[in-house]
Amino acid sequence: MEKVRYFDHAATTYTKEEVLKEMLPYFSLNFGNASSIYSLGRKSRKAVEEAREKIAKAISASAKEIYFTSCGSESDNLAIKGVAYANKCKGNHIITTKIEHPAVLHTCQNLERQGFKVTYLNVDKEGLINLEELENSICDDTILISVMFANNEIGTIEPIKEIGQIAKKHGVCFHTDAVQAIGNVRINVEEMNIDLLSMSAHKFYGPKGMGALYVRNGVKFEKLQDGGHQERNMRAGTENVAGIVGIGKAIELAYDNFDKYNEKLISLRDYYISKVEEKIPFVKVNGHRQKRLPGNANISFKFVEGDAILLKLDAKGICASSGSACSTGSPSPSHVLLAIGLEPETAYGTLRVTFGEENTKEDVDYLLDTLEEVINNLRKNSKMYTEFMKKGQM
Ligand SMILES: *Cc1c(COP(=O)(O)O)cnc(C)c1O
């Protein structure tokens, strides 16, 4: 097999060598239960609390506001259901958006089945919510606003600080799914008035199966899992010490190297987008041009199928995505692309490329050459395309 070129960092990243190195002793030598009082246990406890400090520091929170979970999805569930259940005597209305990750959307749908009311905010053509629509949706019963920090498919970064101000003004809790934003955007939960924030280690070069949730001091939420007293009684289960050490190290590295990483991704992304627009006709760049994740390029190629592009790219050793990993396999086009107003035919022809640390300009050139060839070939065999070209020439 030839070299694999990986352009799907929004789906997952590898665990960095330095992260893995810090994790390894906690699988074997330092295997103690963090709740045990002898020194082997205290060693684990110390590692857990150090990781908590690192996460808190990265988002300007305090350590006692951080809870460890098993993934981003669990953090979203704990935040949204936790706040909903704890505040149901105050009200039953939740505001979210149409472009959330399934971890948020399906959680909200679940709550609707339990009698909660949910408003799904629209987004504009670039994927941004309308702040006026948000403010107008707030009523006496509103207990939670949940808006993602940055979209996993189109990369658009929402106006989080402004949302935080509106939420604060109306005394409503504000949760953000920041799974795609951590390591890619600077986050300050104080300045941004964020009350709850979800993250997942495997999206920023940490291990899979490791998440965290920030909950502002004083925000009422209910635990979802019964058991021991771990995580200050809010998330039962023996701590995944190695994973916790991993997420701590990964977030520390992400923000230590932030400027360099950001600059690199932006330059690869902008180079890729400009070359695609230059070389390939009938394309549409999705998402906001400036307010977007540094490594995200989401482009629709008219007259072709995203999955067909993926398979051809895979045969050339290239990994990318035809939208969100979570919606592949389902026959309907991405809910995010429909929400920004794409026709289903256009949405189907979408390729999401997300750059990362190990990518080079040479990798991007290889991707561009391969993609141009793949799109040309697929279009040659597309009835829609041939008919369109015939009409155009009449
Ligand atoms: C990946 C992702 C999640 C889910 O995180 P897991 O750790 O895979 O459960 C949630 N929200 C967004 C925006 C994501 O990109």
Side-chain angles (χ1 to χ4, degrees):
M1 175 96 187
E2 59 185 312
K3 180 183 168 186
V4 170
R5 290 172 174 90
Y6 187 77
F7 301 104
D8 203 12
H9 295 79
T12 193
T13 57
Y14 54 88
T15 302
K16 272 187 192 169
E17 202 67 47
E18 295 152 277
V19 172
L20 185 62
K21 217 176 113 203
E22 293 226 349
M23 289 173 68
L24 281 176
Y26 294 93
F27 286 106
S28 48
L29 204 58
N30 303 335
F31 67 92
N33 187 318
S35 301
S36 303
I37 60 167
Y38 39 77
S39 73
L40 192 63
R42 292 202 307 272
K43 232 181 222 169
S44 295
R45 170 59 51 202
K46 184 160 176 280
V48 166
E49 297 315 321
E50 279 172 8
R52 206 187 302 280
E53 295 278 352
K54 286 176 184 172
I55 292 178
K57 182 167 170 245
I59 60 171
S60 300
S62 80
K64 58 183 188 308
E65 296 172 312
I66 306 299
Y67 300 84
F68 292 115
T69 67
S70 69
C71 60
S73 301
E74 188 194 334
S75 295
D76 285 338
N77 272 266
L78 184 56
I80 297 168
K81 289 177 185 158
V83 167
Y85 297 156
N87 293 283
K88 63 173 176 248
C89 54
K90 266 173 66 187
N92 69 345
H93 180 232
I94 294 165
I95 301 172
T96 186
T97 79
K98 289 188 175 162
I99 61 165
E100 297 296 315
H101 187 275
V104 169
L105 277 184
H106 294 168
T107 300
C108 288
Q109 286 162 11
N110 179 322
L111 288 173
E112 280 185 287
R113 292 193 292 273
Q114 299 180 52
F116 287 90
K117 302 263 177 291
V118 181
T119 300
Y120 298 90
L121 297 174
N122 294 303
V123 294
D124 66 14
K125 286 187 156 37
E126 292 167 316
L128 291 171
I129 68 155
N130 180 319
L131 293 168
E132 236 169 78
E133 190 192 348
L134 167 66
E135 194 156 15
N136 291 337
S137 305
I138 298 174
C139 62
D140 290 343
D141 280 335
T142 309
I143 49 173
L144 177 68
I145 295 168
S146 180
V147 177
M148 68 199 320
F149 207 116
N151 185 267
N152 47 304
E153 294 189 38
I154 56 175
T156 298
I157 298 172
E158 298 297 335
I160 293 301
K161 194 172 173 183
E162 288 78 1
I163 298 169
Q165 276 164 356
I166 292 172
K168 192 176 181 185
K169 182 175 140 195
H170 293 270
V172 177
C173 256
F174 173 34
H175 165 250
T176 186
D177 174 340
V179 173
Q180 290 291 333
I182 293 284
N184 290 311
V185 185
R186 285 202 191 277
I187 299 178
N188 184 320
V189 292
E190 283 309 318
E191 279 174 13
M192 295 172 166
N193 287 307
I194 297 167
D195 296 311
L196 302 102
L197 177 147
S198 307
M199 65 177 80
S200 176
H202 77 98
K203 303 285 175 80
F204 52 92
Y205 306 96
K208 291 176 186 52
M210 191 61 226
L213 176 67
Y214 150 80
V215 184
R216 179 183 295 281
N217 219 347
V219 167
K220 273 211 307 190
F221 74 112
E222 250 177 47
K223 64 181 171 189
L224 301 181
Q225 181 160 299
D226 293 305
H229 298 301
Q230 291 89 356
E231 297 301 288
R232 295 181 303 292
N233 236 344
M234 296 314 289
R235 203 282 185 173
T238 299
E239 294 87 344
N240 171 5
V241 180
I244 289 171
V245 167
I247 193 173
K249 184 66 183 175
I251 202 164
E252 181 180 62
L253 288 175
Y255 284 101
D256 282 354
N257 302 320
F258 184 85
D259 290 328
K260 221 175 112 206
Y261 182 61
N262 230 262
E263 239 169 70
K264 177 185 174 147
L265 293 195
I266 289 174
S267 93
L268 293 178
R269 176 197 73 189
D270 290 350
Y271 175 69
Y272 168 78
I273 291 178
S274 67
K275 284 286 169 192
V276 168
E277 289 187 304
E278 180 189 314
K279 287 168 156 225
I280 308 177
F282 311 118
V283 302
K284 183 184 175 302
V285 178
N286 300 312
H288 198 283
R289 288 276 180 162
Q290 286 82 42
K291 294 171 193 164
R292 79 182 298 128
L293 289 171
N296 175 294
N298 184 302
I299 302 182
S300 298
F301 298 86
K302 301 230 166 92
F303 315 111
V304 296
E305 290 261 339
D307 284 347
I309 309 174
L310 277 193
L311 290 176
K312 301 275 182 201
L313 291 180
D314 180 41
K316 301 278 185 181
I318 292 172
C319 307
S321 168
S322 62
S324 156
C326 310
S327 35
T328 48
S330 65
S332 52
S334 140
H335 66 288
V336 177
L337 298 175
L338 296 182
I340 61 170
L342 291 199
E343 296 294 331
E345 308 92 80
T346 312
Y348 277 125
T350 300
L351 184 73
R352 179 188 73 181
V353 167
T354 43
F355 299 103
E357 239 212 349
E358 77 289 4
N359 294 146
T360 62
K361 183 165 173 290
E362 288 67 42
D363 290 338
V364 180
D365 282 326
Y366 177 81
L367 168 66
L368 284 161
D369 290 343
T370 313
L371 187 61
E372 189 181 8
E373 190 188 313
V374 164
I375 299 286
N376 284 341
N377 284 336
L378 287 172
R379 281 182 178 164
K380 248 183 247 162
N381 296 319
S382 151
K383 220 174 122 191
M384 236 179 9
Y385 180 70
T386 356
E387 273 167 16
F388 173 84
M389 293 309 276
K390 255 193 232 148
K391 256 193 240 152
Q393 274 151 20
M394 276 198 300

